[in-house]
């Protein structure tokens, strides 16, 4: 068995097979168009690949995708050391081929391939099938708790200093504090826009509108959000709350934006840095739930990579 990077034609062939798994709400043609549109997005064009595990006869046994994402090592007292990490998506084995270890072999060969990249730091994935299969290939699970906040009526501008527009993702991302851990992933503005692109594709199927804002600021605190998939929810992509009260104000704006846009709730992925804010969230219309799917898992791609248990995996990194 060997690993190859798929051609455009092979990617199209995989789309036809993966439709049954990931095509909900879309027709097969709509799903193929979604995949093409997402591949044409600047973040995907920067370095997105589809990988195929092929048998000796060249037949495809399993597939997945990788997206390059920035990551940083904090050197002792020195500057941040940038590198490349790889977010892995859409691991897939056709039903008739399952249970023969093909997905596991694909993950092992892929890790070996990624380890050879000159600036490689780590691989990151979000498992919808629990931790066991990926733990075999060296992935470690991170905590996965979500906050679900009900929409509240009112002007989203009122609790915050500014609402952010989609075209301000770059400067807004620049306001966020980077995590105080020895190694972390950090998304680019194009990467965050890729999530919004998914929302632009799905909005016509959801009976809601695209939120007019992409986030908010309050004092030095910043939140980035969007409609990002096939659920009519306002998803928080990044949240840097410098104080609990500023964090609360940002989330109140999110709840109002969800209400104004006809969305059913706000979803926040809990991060270690949110701890001081959490007591303020408890109450009417806010619940903390174990995440259903999308379990973040990380695998070092170089020896000695310092993986902290406090490593954040914000929703903005999801693929
Ligand atoms: C998950 C998937 C890629 C596994 O492919 P595969 O080639 O059969 O994988 P392997 O043979 O290497 O490993 C199979 C293991 O995955 C486990 N697995 C498969 N689907 C699972 C699920 N929905 N929940 C939990 N475990 C699951 C099997 O139980 C098996 O575990 P075991 O060997 O410990 O009994 C395949 O089932 C698939 O394509 N599923 C649909 C798409 C999907 O959910 N992809 C994963 C996205 S994170």
């Amino acid at each position: 068995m060997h690993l190859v990077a798929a051609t455009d034609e092979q990617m199209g062939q995989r789309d036809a097979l993966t439709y049954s798994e990931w095509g909900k709400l879309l027709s097969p043609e709509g799903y193929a168009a979604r995949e093409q549109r997402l591949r044409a997005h600047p973040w995907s064009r920067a370095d997105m690949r589809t990988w195929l595990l092929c048998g000796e006869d060249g037949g495809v046994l399993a597939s997945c995708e990788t997206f390059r994402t920035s990551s940083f090592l904090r050197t002792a007292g020195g500057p941040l050391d940038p590198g490349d990490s790889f977010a892995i998506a859409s691991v897939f084995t056709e039903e008739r081929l399952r249970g023969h270890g093909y997905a596991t072999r694909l993950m092992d060969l892929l890790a070996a391939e990624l380890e050879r990249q000159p600036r490689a730091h780590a691989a990151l994935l979000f498992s919808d099938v629990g931790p066991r299969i990926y733990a075999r290939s060296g992935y470690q699970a991170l905590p996965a708790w979500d906050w679900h906040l009900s929409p509240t009526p009112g002007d989203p501008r009122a609790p915050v200093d500014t609402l952010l527009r989609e075209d301000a993702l770059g400067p807004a991302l620049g306001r966020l504090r980077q995590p105080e851990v020895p190694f972390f992933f950090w998304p680019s503005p194009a990467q965050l826009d890729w999530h919004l692109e998914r929302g632009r594709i799905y909005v016509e199927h959801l009976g809601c509108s695209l939120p007019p804002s992409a986030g908010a600021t309050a004092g030095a605190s910043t939140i980035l959000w969007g409609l990002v998939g096939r659920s009519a929810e306002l998803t928080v992509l990044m949240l840097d709350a410098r104080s609990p009260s500023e964090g609360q104000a940002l989330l109140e704006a999110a709840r109002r934006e969800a209400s104004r846009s006809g969305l059913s709730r706000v979803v926040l992925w809990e991060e270690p840095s949110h701890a001081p804010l959490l007591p303020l969230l408890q109450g009417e219309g806010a619940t903390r739930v174990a995440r259903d799917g999308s379990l973040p898992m990380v695998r070092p791609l170089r020896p000695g990579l310092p993986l902290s248990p406090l490593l954040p995996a914000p929703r903005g990194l999801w693929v």
Side-chain angles (χ1 to χ4, degrees), residues 4 106 143 173 205:
V4 297
L106 170 69
L173 194 56
H205 303 279

Side-chain angles (χ1 to χ4, degrees), residues 181-262:
V181 289
F183 166 76
F184 61 91
F185 305 99
W186 196 247
S188 64
Q191 186 169 350
L192 296 181
D193 187 76
W194 175 87
H195 292 273
L196 304 184
E197 182 77 351
R198 292 172 54 87
R200 292 174 200 124
I201 293 169
Y202 277 103
V203 69
E204 61 198 72
H205 303 279
L206 290 175
C208 58
S209 50
L210 277 178
S213 63
T217 65
S221 301
T222 309
I223 190 169
L224 299 174
W225 63 49
L227 175 76
V228 299
R230 59 169 184 254
S231 303
E233 302 171 339
L234 192 72
T235 300
V236 177
L237 294 171
M238 304 295 286
L239 170 60
D240 173 19
R242 309 274 180 119
S243 71
S245 61
E246 287 179 1
Q248 195 179 28
L250 293 173
L251 288 169
E252 177 59 25
R255 296 173 81 162
R256 293 181 182 197
E257 185 60 285
S259 172
R260 168 165 88 162
S261 306

Side-chain angles (χ1 to χ4, degrees), residues 1-3 51-53 62-64 66 88 91 100-116 123 125 132-139 299-301:
M1 284 181 272
H2 58 282
L3 185 71
W51 298 93
L52 307 175
L53 177 75
S63 59
C64 69
T66 53
I88 300 175
V91 180
H100 297 285
Y102 295 144
T104 302
R105 188 93 173 107
L106 170 69
M107 297 307 284
D108 290 343
L109 289 177
L110 178 60
E113 169 74 25
L114 298 177
E115 280 171 353
R116 286 195 285 273
L125 60 79
R132 204 163 72 155
I133 177 173
Y134 299 119
R136 278 182 207 154
S137 299
Y139 288 80
R299 182 195 191 282
L301 293 173

Side-chain angles (χ1 to χ4, degrees), residues 145-150 223 236 239 241 243-255 266-271 273-289:
W145 291 93
D146 292 354
W147 285 84
H148 293 171
L149 309 173
S150 59
I223 190 169
V236 177
L239 170 60
S243 71
S245 61
E246 287 179 1
Q248 195 179 28
L250 293 173
L251 288 169
E252 177 59 25
R255 296 173 81 162
V266 173
V267 177
L268 169 69
W269 282 19
E270 186 180 299
E271 294 173 41
S273 71
H274 298 160
L277 167 66
L278 302 182
L280 291 189
L281 287 187
Q282 267 144 15
E284 185 106 346
T287 47
R288 183 177 190 254
V289 294

Side-chain angles (χ1 to χ4, degrees), residues 37-49 67 190 194:
R37 186 166 160 185
L38 289 174
R39 280 184 210 122
H41 186 274
W43 185 50
S44 312
R45 282 211 314 270
D47 195 356
M48 179 257 175
R49 282 161 214 231
F67 295 77
W194 175 87

Side-chain angles (χ1 to χ4, degrees), residues 14 18 20-22 53 61-63 88-95 97-107 125-134 136-137 294-295 319:
R14 293 311 280 176
T18 58
S20 58
E21 201 60 46
W22 292 303
L53 177 75
L61 303 171
S63 59
I88 300 175
S90 308
V91 180
F92 182 80
T93 302
E94 277 177 79
E95 221 165 313
L97 296 171
R98 289 181 191 167
H100 297 285
Y102 295 144
T104 302
R105 188 93 173 107
L106 170 69
M107 297 307 284
L125 60 79
F126 297 87
S127 177
D128 289 331
V129 292
R132 204 163 72 155
I133 177 173
Y134 299 119
R136 278 182 207 154
S137 299
S294 293
L295 174 66
V319 289

